[in-house]
């Protein structure tokens, strides 16, 4: 129902079960050797097998280490981990669409665009190498909004409070976020930040400067949604004010332009626009309350 | 507001507040004023006399008070909304090419119509407001509301310019109202958002009809008759103030210059 309304995208598992009649297909990969270097396109031919996904195609490409013109090249790099769309590590632009490589099935991609696949690294994060990007800013935003339940300590606090069915149903979808960054990739208000280390700068200074830059830029839909999730948690609530402070500070929720691309591309179908609206309400009340309380 | 740092850090630190004010100012007073403005204008469809009545009612507060109202409730809020709007536009990178979702297209259109509205309102002010009469603009004269507006709007390029401008403003207000519901958390669930879409669409289309029909109303004004009606009203007012003889509907006064 969400899909119909927000983007009209088909969830991948709802598609057909057909196999194409091909021997091989071509994969165009946008490669880059190191951060800040120029990128270049490379074409690879992959022998078709049934039920491949983009990761298994990349494994073949890396093993071949040779372009369509027979040029020997360094094996292509990518990130992946769970291979079942729960870690978010393998997110990249597949035929221009931000999604997970592990659940991008070759059979389905051949239906969209027969014989060819285009792979690019995400465009909103600094490239480390080839399809591997540095998503530190995404995780930094989760730290900024304290996306956790504060239960550190040795004390046995007994059982947690009961939660209503309704509240559970509202929270569960938000907890499915896998920090993949699709919502950030598609967001017109989330612009790329790439810092470079000065020669005289120590690693510590550089990472501190990077964090400071990230903190003043837009937090993104995922962090807003996680703040809402933990602000509704009965124990997470204890630091609700701190989360709302983070959301109303520089780079906070006010920078959202309501394009709603985030909700349209989120592979976990998280109702991000609902989270943004809920956070919009509570941040306004929070600021008003703080203003009168001072 | 005890900031002592540089201006940049002030803007950054109060970004949330400024953006909330930007959002609010779009609805009140700017959006509300626009609705009133279009309602008053569309009273031309009833008759030139009723339109003149409405204009006179506005001007009855006196020239000084009217200017204070104009600056406080119209010019300054619009200027703030426009200037900060440009800052917002500069902060985003529209990607409608890659992501052709309806809401993303509206995001881009909201920015495009904002820019159109900005130039339209600047031109409209120059074209109609008496401040700009010495510069060749300022065509609207409140005592000759119907005739001066009808004359000012009579050429085709002006009509096209106004139609484009009015439509851009209507879209910007109706879509802005929708996004405001998210920004302030009025409609949070997808269901509520769907209903809000209908409400805002109806509001926007209604407003556009109002604006365009007002324009067609000005196009249909019989300028000669309107001038005559306005001349008699001016004369009548002067008579009430005891400055001139009693006005009549006879032909007697017609060859006298009605004055600008
Ligand atoms: S909200 Fe959705 S798109 Fe964004 S990081 Fe989480 S799972 Fe990915
Ligand atoms: S709704 Fe906000 S967070 Fe989501 S894509 Fe649009 S601007 Fe980005
Ligand atoms: S490898 Fe974990 S989501 Fe693809």
């Amino acid at each position: 129902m969400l899909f119909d309304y927000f983007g009209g995208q088909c969830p991948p598992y709802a598609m057909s079960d057909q196999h194409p009649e091909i021997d091989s297909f071509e994969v165009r990969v946008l490669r880059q050797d190191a951060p800040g270097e120029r990128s270049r396109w490379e074409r690879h031919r992959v022998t078709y097998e049934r039920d491949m996904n983009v990761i298994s195609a990349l494994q073949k490409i890396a093993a071949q280490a040779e372009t369509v013109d027979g040029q020997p090249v360094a094996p292509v790099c990518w990130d992946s981990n769970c291979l079942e769309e729960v870690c978010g590590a393998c997110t990249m632009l597949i035929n221009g669409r931000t999604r997970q490589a592990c659940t991008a099935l070759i059979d389905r991609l051949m239906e969209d665009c027969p014989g060819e696949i285009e792979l690019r690294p995400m465009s909103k994060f600094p490239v480390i190498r080839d399809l591997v990007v540095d998503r530190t800013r995404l995780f930094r935003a989760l730290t900024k909004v304290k996306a956790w339940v504060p239960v550190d300590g040795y004390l046995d606090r007994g059982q947690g409070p009961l939660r209503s069915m309704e509240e559970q149903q509202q929270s569960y979808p938000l907890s499915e976020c896998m920090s993949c960054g699709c919502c950030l990739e598609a967001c017109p208000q989330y612009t790329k930040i790439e810092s470079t280390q000065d020669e005289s700068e120590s690693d510590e200074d550089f990472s501190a400067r990077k964090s400071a830059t990230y903190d003043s830029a837009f937090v993104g839909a995922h962090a807003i949604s996680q703040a809402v999730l933990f602000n509704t948690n009965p124990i997470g609530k204890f630091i609700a004010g701190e989360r709302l402070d983070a959301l109303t500070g520089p780079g906070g929720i006010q920078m959202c332009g309501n394009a709603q691309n985030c909700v349209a591309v989120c592979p976990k179908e998280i109702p991000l626009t609902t989270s943004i609206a809920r956070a919009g309400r509570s941040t306004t009340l929070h600021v008003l309350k703080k203003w009168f309380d001072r | 507001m005890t900031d002592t740092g540089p201006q940049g850090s002030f803007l950054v630190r109060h970004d949330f507040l400024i953006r909330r004010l930007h959002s609010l100012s779009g609805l009140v007073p700017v959006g509300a004023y626009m609705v009133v403005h279009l309602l008053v204008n569309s009273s031309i469809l009833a008759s030139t006399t009723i339109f003149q009545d409405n204009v006179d009612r506005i001007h009855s507060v006196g020239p000084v008070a009217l200017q204070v109202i104009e600056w406080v409730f119209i010019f300054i809020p619009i200027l703030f909304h426009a200037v900060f709007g440009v800052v917002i536009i500069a902060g985003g990178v529209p990607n409608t090419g890659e992501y052709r979702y309806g809401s993303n297209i509206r995001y881009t259109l909201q920015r495009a119509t904002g820019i159109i509205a900005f130039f339209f309102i600047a031109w409209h002010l120059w074209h109609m407001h008496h401040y700009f009469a010495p510069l060749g603009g300022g065509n609207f004269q409140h005592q000759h509301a119907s005739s001066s507006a009808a004359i000012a709007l009579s050429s085709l390029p002006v009509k096209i310019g106004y139609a484009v401008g009015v439509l851009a403003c209507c879209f910007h207000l109706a879509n802005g109202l929708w996004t405001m519901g998210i920004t302030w958390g009025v409609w949070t669930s997808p269901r509520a958002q769907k209903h809000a879409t209908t409400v805002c669409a109806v509001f926007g289309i209604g407003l556009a009809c109002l604006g365009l029909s007002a324009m067609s109303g000005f196009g249909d004004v019989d300028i000669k008759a309107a001038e005559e009606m306005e001349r008699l009203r001016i004369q009548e007012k002067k008579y009430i103030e005891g400055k001139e003889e009693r006005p009549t509907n006879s032909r007697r006064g017609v060859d006298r210059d009605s004055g600008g």
Side-chain angles (χ1 to χ4, degrees):
Chain A
M1 187 239 136
L2 263 180
F3 267 117
D4 286 352
Y5 176 57
F6 283 115
Q9 279 185 12
C10 283
Y13 45 79
M15 289 190 211
S16 72
D17 199 20
Q18 303 295 308
H19 301 285
E21 301 283 322
I22 49 166
D23 301 327
S24 68
F25 56 92
E26 199 176 286
V27 183
R28 300 204 303 136
V29 189
L30 190 64
R31 301 197 57 175
Q32 183 175 329
D33 291 339
E37 302 219 335
R38 283 178 64 117
S39 55
R40 60 179 192 282
W41 284 103
E42 225 172 67
R43 300 192 330 202
H44 294 266
R45 186 149 285 280
V46 178
T47 319
Y48 171 78
E49 273 169 45
R50 279 177 67 152
D51 300 323
M52 287 174 86
N53 62 18
V54 167
I55 301 282
S56 58
L58 280 167
Q59 283 169 335
K60 282 179 178 248
I61 292 169
Q64 283 166 212
E66 194 181 276
T67 66
V68 272
D69 323 310
Q71 287 280 330
V73 286
V76 63
C77 286
W78 72 92
D79 237 348
S80 67
N81 198 346
C82 69
L83 299 180
E84 53 176 359
E85 204 180 89
V86 283
C87 75
C90 65
T91 310
M92 56 184 76
L93 299 177
I94 301 171
N95 289 343
R97 219 183 103 197
T98 175
R99 57 185 298 190
Q100 283 66 52
C102 62
T103 45
L105 306 180
I106 301 297
D107 290 346
R108 298 294 81 76
L109 290 171
M110 289 299 114
E111 287 167 10
D112 299 347
C113 182
E116 205 184 85
I117 294 170
E118 183 198 279
L119 301 180
R120 274 188 287 152
M122 295 174 91
S123 68
K124 299 290 173 76
F125 300 105
V127 173
I128 296 174
R129 187 181 166 90
D130 298 340
L131 301 167
V132 183
V133 293
D134 173 8
R135 292 183 298 153
T136 308
R137 180 175 165 199
L138 182 158
F139 299 107
R140 179 78 199 172
L142 293 175
T143 319
K144 188 175 157 183
V145 301
K146 299 191 165 65
W148 54 74
V149 175
V151 284
D152 285 350
Y154 297 103
L155 198 67
D156 179 2
R157 291 162 205 247
Q159 271 205 327
L162 264 185
R163 304 185 67 184
S164 73
M165 211 51 172
E166 195 197 347
E167 206 186 283
Q168 291 175 34
Q169 274 169 0
Q170 213 171 32
S171 290
Y172 183 73
L174 308 194
S175 73
E176 283 183 286
C177 174
M178 57 175 167
S179 310
C180 65
C182 284
C183 51
L184 311 175
E185 176 65 30
C187 171
Q189 296 289 108
Y190 198 89
T191 46
K192 182 175 179 174
I193 295 177
E194 181 158 15
S195 322
T196 39
Q197 190 166 3
D198 293 337
E199 275 179 30
S200 58
E201 203 172 28
S202 69
D203 287 352
E204 291 75 28
D205 289 349
F206 177 52
S207 81
R209 182 164 63 86
K210 238 172 37 177
S211 299
T213 323
Y214 290 157
D215 284 349
S216 61
F218 185 32
V219 286
H222 74 303
I224 296 173
S225 186
Q226 291 304 297
V228 169
L229 170 67
F230 288 103
N231 274 3
T232 38
N233 180 295
I235 297 169
K237 235 181 224 157
F238 294 163
I239 53 167
E242 291 172 40
R243 293 196 191 92
L244 296 176
D245 280 341
L247 284 187
T248 52
I253 189 175
Q254 70 275 9
M255 292 190 71
C256 165
N258 288 312
Q260 299 164 65
N261 285 352
C262 48
V263 76
V265 299
C266 174
K268 293 294 175 192
E269 301 175 43
I270 296 173
L272 293 166
T273 307
T274 301
S275 290
I276 291 168
R278 286 171 69 192
R281 183 189 291 179
S282 44
T283 45
T284 308
L285 294 175
H286 178 69
V287 165
L288 279 177
K289 184 173 159 288
K290 257 180 51 177
W291 202 73
F292 281 107
D293 277 353
R294 66 182 188 174
Chain B
M1 304 263 176
T2 47
D3 182 65
T4 46
Q7 203 200 10
S9 87
F10 175 86
L11 285 179
V12 168
R13 266 194 294 138
H14 297 280
D15 196 39
F16 183 83
L17 204 68
I18 297 170
R19 293 212 192 213
R20 279 292 189 271
L21 276 179
H22 177 262
S23 171
L24 187 67
S25 68
L27 182 69
V28 275
V30 178
Y33 165 70
M34 184 179 138
V35 174
V36 172
H37 189 38
L38 291 184
L39 279 173
V40 169
N41 286 1
S42 59
S43 70
I44 190 74
L45 291 165
S47 79
T48 50
T49 325
I50 292 179
F51 179 58
Q52 185 67 55
D53 279 344
N54 285 328
V55 173
D56 286 347
R57 199 165 303 134
I58 292 168
H59 282 265
S60 67
V61 296
V64 178
L66 192 62
Q67 287 193 56
V68 172
I69 292 171
E70 276 181 332
W71 280 96
V72 174
F73 293 103
I74 308 170
F75 297 155
I76 292 173
I78 289 186
L79 211 59
F80 165 71
H81 194 80
V83 168
F84 200 72
V86 171
V87 174
I88 292 179
I89 293 174
V93 182
N95 53 8
T96 332
E98 291 100 316
Y99 302 95
R100 312 201 65 84
Y101 306 116
S103 48
N104 194 31
I105 293 170
R106 287 197 298 277
Y107 164 93
T108 306
L109 276 180
Q110 185 69 358
R111 278 140 186 81
T113 52
I115 294 170
I116 296 173
F118 179 82
F119 286 109
F120 168 65
I121 293 169
W123 172 58
H124 174 48
L125 207 63
W126 174 85
H127 187 226
M128 290 296 195
H129 200 281
H130 64 84
Y131 284 172
F132 299 94
L135 299 172
N139 291 296
F140 182 76
Q141 297 152 7
H142 71 88
Q143 288 183 315
H144 297 274
S146 311
S147 62
S148 65
I151 293 167
L153 291 171
S154 56
S155 84
L156 187 64
V158 170
K159 279 196 178 109
I160 295 172
Y162 269 75
V164 171
V166 168
L167 288 178
C169 291
C170 291
F171 176 88
H172 196 80
L173 178 56
N175 190 54
L177 194 65
W178 195 96
T179 57
M180 237 187 128
I182 302 292
T183 304
W184 296 81
V186 182
W187 28 83
T188 54
S189 70
R191 242 180 105 78
Q193 285 158 16
K194 208 160 153 179
H195 293 151
T197 308
T198 315
V199 172
C200 293
V202 169
F203 170 71
I205 293 167
L207 205 61
C209 291
L210 200 67
L212 292 183
S213 56
M215 276 183 58
S216 84
F218 285 112
D220 293 342
V221 167
D222 176 346
I223 294 172
K224 278 273 162 306
E227 276 173 343
E228 171 65 7
M229 178 274 294
E230 289 153 4
R231 187 190 61 77
L232 284 172
R233 283 176 71 122
I234 295 166
Q235 220 178 14
E236 191 169 58
K237 211 155 119 209
K238 285 188 178 153
Y239 168 73
I240 292 168
E241 287 162 4
K243 290 190 197 141
E244 211 167 307
E245 63 186 288
R246 185 177 180 77
T248 68
N249 278 326
S250 74
R251 298 276 98 206
R252 195 167 58 90
V254 174
D255 27 51
R256 211 188 317 158
D257 184 24
S258 58

